[in-house]
Amino acid sequence: MVIRLNRRTFLKAATATATASYAARAIPAWAATDKGSVAVRTPLTTFAYSDVTLLDGPMKKQFDENHNRFLNLDDDRLLKVFRQVAGLPAPGEDMGGWYDLTGFSLERNDFHGFIAGHSFGQYLSGLARAYAVNGSEATRAKINRLVKGYGETLDPKAKFFAGYRLPAYTYDKLSCGLIDAHEFAQDPLAMEIHEKLTRAIVAYLPEKALSRQEQRSRPHKDTAFTWDETYTLPENLFLAYQRSGKTFYRDMAKQYLEDDTYFNPLSQGNNVLPFEHAYSHVNAFSSAMQAYITLGSEQHLQAAKNGFEMLVKTQSFATGGWGPNEAFGEPGTGQLGDSLASTHASFETPCGAYGHFKITRYLLRVTKDSRYGDSMERVLYNTILGAWPIQADGTSFYYSDYAATGKKVWYGQKWPCCSGTFPQLAADYHISTYLRSPDGVYVNLFTPSRVQWSDGGGRYGLKQETKYPFDNQIQIQVSASQPKDFTLYVRIPGWATPDPVLSINGARVSDPVQPATFAGLRRNWKDGDRVELELPMPLRLETVDENHPRFVALLQGPLVLFAIADSQPSFDRNALLQAKPANNDTGDWLATTADGSSVTMRPFMNIDKESYSTYVLLKA
Ligand SMILES: [Zn+2]
């Protein structure tokens, strides 16, 4: 194997060898020999996290910020609530916010102590995925300490969950964290603890996945007890089956598929999204995808495809965000436009973006349809890349605000759900940028980055350089230890009309380049070959919904341009479409309002404290 021995690669190779021999001793025999089989090998697969390097840019910045935040969060604080309930010495400060044991009151609208320890598994997962990216020894050691520490608090009956408000919710996240600690950091205890926890948690779960309506029909004195998310359990249970080979995980996953009230109607094209909790029901699409991959269930694939299409067509804002007040509305009633006047809680951003990335990645892997990449990119640039970083005390960005006049704000409670999904998502940027097929590589996101792979004894790579989306040019350089035939697939966004241009080594590709496809470039690639993509990025308008034709967002390429103003400005349609670029580095544009004043139009990722309008008003 040819390994280019820069210092980082060398260190990573050394670490990989060390952990591999460590893992060979530590992982039980069943895990090494009897892995759970899957029914479907998807046409596209993800690269390993470590195959992709993000270079300087906003995605790398978010990954680094999240990794540093959780690497430096005190172990004792993270483990405190579990130790307290177990009656063990529990040193360290309280985490605060949602994470603590007590304080919650729906009557007082106080979410302090809402779900004790809820996000521990997600922080563990984020660290494990980060370790998969960067091989940091300090990160691996922290993962091992946290898994061991958590395991010490877990009794055979998981008494932590006795009287607990949302057992499925927190179990699902613990499950994910332990699976990732095993998968990516080869943690020697994680799957043993996972099994002990899973066998115990059953006593606290209902017999099947329950919709919120079903939960309300089994009334509890505390309303918050009717918010559990049993319908998101199968994804991680299927993954636990795949990684352990233990069939009880697969059987339990099947038991918690929300078929009667969700997947069956969705698979038949019946839009049952309205009034459901938004993020958790998008997250549930990933359980349907694992039912397809693991069991071969076409019906669940259809449910996920249909559900996602309904999400995009009937529940989504121009930003790609969805679910004002965390709920889906009734299509055709103008619910999205109405929400601009009634709420500032327009999109649950880190959680929503995490769920959106997962389902679009699954659907891309199965269908190779570039529109899922378009949708992922829309959410990336207009929502999560504009989220403020999690602060040391757990203060977090939660909702994006699309109200007529909106503002970015911090969420009122520390360590909410969105502090759990943010580090997971930022690590997942690596596996979302490129995908692999048997005949080549798919370039899905345009961002400064490198990907490397081995094939037939050769070593290959791509290096992307671009200022996209603030520039319309993307350069991709090929590295190859020897020339090789493969296909380089490049996503051509659906909005890229007319005439996107692809060139190889300076010569324009003669075949027409179709928007809303992956353009396939098959040839004998040589070291130093260059691909250039130039995307047309015309300005365009999108209405919020058909009932509110005068509320429009201005878009350029993948970017929504937000009007920076203290009240919602009004425009003549043509004047808005004749906005002019003002600053190439920040993506600012200038547009002239109906009363002749000039308004800055700015991408979400470059907005800080200033007031803005996501949708502006068109003059009648
Ligand atoms: Zn959240």
Side-chain angles (χ1 to χ4, degrees):
M1 190 169 73
V2 182
I3 299 176
R4 284 185 300 152
L5 285 178
N6 62 42
R7 187 179 136 75
R8 186 164 172 273
T9 321
F10 175 74
L11 287 174
K12 279 176 79 169
T15 310
T17 311
T19 50
S21 59
Y22 177 61
R25 283 201 315 275
I27 293 179
W30 54 259
T33 56
D34 186 26
K35 296 280 181 122
S37 60
V38 297
V40 174
R41 298 279 169 198
T42 58
L44 302 187
T45 53
T46 48
F47 279 93
Y49 286 85
S50 57
D51 290 337
V52 179
T53 308
L54 295 175
L55 304 173
D56 282 346
M59 292 164 78
K60 175 176 163 47
K61 183 164 175 278
Q62 284 196 335
F63 171 70
D64 289 343
E65 283 167 350
N66 275 286
H67 177 234
N68 291 334
R69 175 64 61 230
F70 290 96
L71 180 60
N72 292 307
L73 186 55
D74 181 53
D75 297 358
D76 284 334
R77 292 183 66 199
L78 285 163
L79 290 165
K80 185 166 183 176
V81 288
F82 302 105
R83 287 170 169 164
Q84 283 172 313
V85 176
L88 295 170
E93 282 174 53
D94 287 345
M95 287 280 283
W98 282 27
Y99 204 95
D100 287 349
L101 272 178
T102 54
F104 176 73
S105 161
L106 210 53
E107 297 79 57
R108 294 197 314 272
N109 194 29
D110 186 351
F111 279 69
H112 185 264
F114 177 32
I115 325 177
H118 67 105
S119 46
F120 176 84
Q122 293 174 299
Y123 303 154
L124 185 61
S125 161
L127 285 166
R129 293 176 193 187
Y131 173 72
V133 170
N134 61 25
S136 146
E137 186 52 34
T139 307
R140 193 190 59 75
K142 187 177 187 76
I143 292 162
N144 292 162
R145 290 195 307 270
L146 289 175
V147 171
K148 183 162 178 286
Y150 174 72
E152 285 163 2
T153 70
L154 180 64
D155 61 278
K157 295 200 162 164
K159 285 201 275 301
F160 180 81
F161 290 100
Y164 193 84
R165 238 168 255 115
L166 307 168
Y169 180 95
T170 296
Y171 162 74
D172 192 34
K173 290 154 182 61
L174 284 163
S175 169
C176 182
L178 290 165
I179 290 170
D180 286 353
H182 170 261
E183 174 80 1
F184 301 123
Q186 295 81 42
D187 185 273
L189 303 174
M191 285 313 278
E192 214 174 283
I193 294 168
H194 187 281
E195 181 172 349
K196 185 175 167 188
L197 172 64
T198 306
R199 291 194 184 277
I201 200 71
V202 175
Y204 306 98
L205 299 179
E207 75 287 0
K208 62 167 192 144
L210 297 178
S211 68
R212 282 212 173 165
Q213 200 183 341
E214 286 171 311
Q215 292 182 71
R216 283 192 291 270
S217 73
R218 301 178 182 195
H220 194 284
K221 62 181 170 24
D222 181 343
T223 309
F225 278 83
T226 65
W227 295 346
D228 209 3
E229 299 175 0
T230 41
Y231 42 82
T232 71
L233 295 178
E235 183 188 20
N236 287 312
L237 288 166
F238 280 125
L239 290 172
Y241 162 66
Q242 289 167 27
R243 288 165 194 184
S244 70
K246 298 203 169 183
T247 53
F248 90 95
Y249 283 126
R250 185 193 58 202
D251 297 342
M252 192 171 157
K254 284 156 76 172
Q255 186 187 341
Y256 286 96
L257 286 166
E258 195 194 335
D259 286 336
D260 296 347
T261 47
Y262 200 52
F263 296 135
N264 289 348
L266 285 179
S267 71
Q268 290 152 15
N270 184 0
N271 190 341
V272 289
L273 299 187
F275 315 117
E276 294 290 4
H277 178 248
Y279 161 60
S280 59
H281 281 82
V282 168
N283 196 20
F285 294 157
S286 291
S287 284
M289 290 307 292
Q290 276 298 340
Y292 169 67
I293 290 168
T294 314
L295 309 172
S297 168
E298 293 284 346
Q299 191 188 1
H300 285 96
L301 173 60
Q302 201 56 50
K305 278 185 183 171
N306 291 353
F308 184 78
E309 192 173 333
M310 292 163 192
L311 175 75
V312 169
K313 289 198 172 149
T314 69
Q315 307 291 341
S316 293
F317 295 101
T319 59
W322 32 258
N325 294 327
E326 301 195 29
F328 292 133
E330 230 177 329
T333 61
Q335 91 276 9
L336 287 174
D338 289 345
S339 80
L340 307 183
S342 63
T343 185
H344 293 277
S346 306
F347 177 47
E348 186 187 351
T349 301
C351 290
Y354 175 64
H356 203 98
F357 263 64
K358 256 198 312 171
I359 184 58
T360 47
R361 204 165 52 235
Y362 273 125
L363 287 167
L364 257 178
R365 283 169 55 193
V366 169
T367 65
K368 303 192 278 187
D369 187 333
S370 67
R371 290 174 308 167
Y372 297 119
D374 291 3
S375 181
M376 181 192 282
E377 158 179 274
R378 195 184 269 248
V379 166
L380 173 67
Y381 290 118
N382 301 305
T383 78
I384 189 65
L385 283 181
W388 286 332
I390 300 166
Q391 303 295 293
D393 67 354
T395 302
S396 298
F397 189 82
Y398 191 119
Y399 294 116
S400 292
D401 179 359
Y402 305 147
T405 304
K407 238 178 164 15
K408 288 186 183 174
V409 293
W410 294 111
Y411 183 61
Q413 285 287 349
K414 292 166 185 172
W415 310 112
C417 51
C418 287
S419 72
T421 40
F422 204 168
Q424 293 181 293
L425 172 58
D428 287 353
Y429 290 159
H430 294 83
I431 57 166
S432 307
T433 303
Y434 302 92
L435 291 143
R436 187 146 192 208
S437 67
D439 65 341
V441 173
Y442 282 66
V443 179
N444 182 48
L445 296 177
F446 303 125
T447 192
S449 57
R450 270 199 310 262
V451 61
Q452 299 184 74
W453 68 97
S454 301
D455 194 357
R459 192 79 185 139
Y460 304 91
L462 303 176
K463 183 179 183 192
Q464 243 195 101
E465 290 180 334
T466 183
K467 288 184 182 166
Y468 182 91
F470 302 122
D471 186 18
N472 68 340
Q473 315 257 350
I474 297 117
Q475 285 92 31
I476 302 167
Q477 180 151 340
V478 176
S479 61
S481 60
Q482 59 207 57
K484 181 156 183 79
D485 286 341
F486 63 87
T487 308
L488 184 56
Y489 293 92
V490 182
R491 184 172 56 85
I492 310 297
W495 43 257
T497 55
D499 269 344
V501 177
L502 260 175
S503 310
I504 301 175
N505 298 330
R508 184 170 175 169
V509 172
S510 55
D511 292 342
V513 179
Q514 298 290 351
T517 64
F518 279 101
L521 303 173
R522 181 152 193 96
R523 61 188 259 130
N524 189 256
W525 293 99
K526 297 181 183 59
D527 196 49
D529 280 346
R530 284 176 299 111
V531 172
E532 268 132 3
L533 174 62
E534 194 180 315
L535 293 169
M537 289 186 173
L539 291 174
R540 65 191 195 280
L541 302 179
E542 287 187 12
T543 55
V544 64
D545 59 40
E546 63 213 11
N547 303 52
H548 299 85
R550 290 174 57 211
F551 290 112
V552 297
L554 177 66
L555 289 95
Q556 189 226 2
L559 287 173
V560 175
L561 300 170
F562 295 67
I564 304 302
D566 292 327
S567 64
Q568 189 181 35
S570 165
F571 290 89
D572 188 77
R573 171 184 293 270
N574 288 334
L576 187 54
L577 284 168
Q578 281 160 20
K580 296 279 177 281
N583 184 325
N584 284 341
D585 290 329
T586 61
D588 277 3
W589 290 62
L590 282 175
T592 305
T593 64
D595 63 16
S597 57
S598 187
V599 169
T600 297
M601 308 294 292
R602 180 169 292 165
F604 195 60
M605 34 194 298
N606 290 328
I607 292 175
D608 188 30
K609 301 266 171 59
E610 55 275 37
S611 296
Y612 59 82
S613 298
T614 311
Y615 290 91
V616 298
L617 197 59
L618 284 188
K619 256 185 83 180

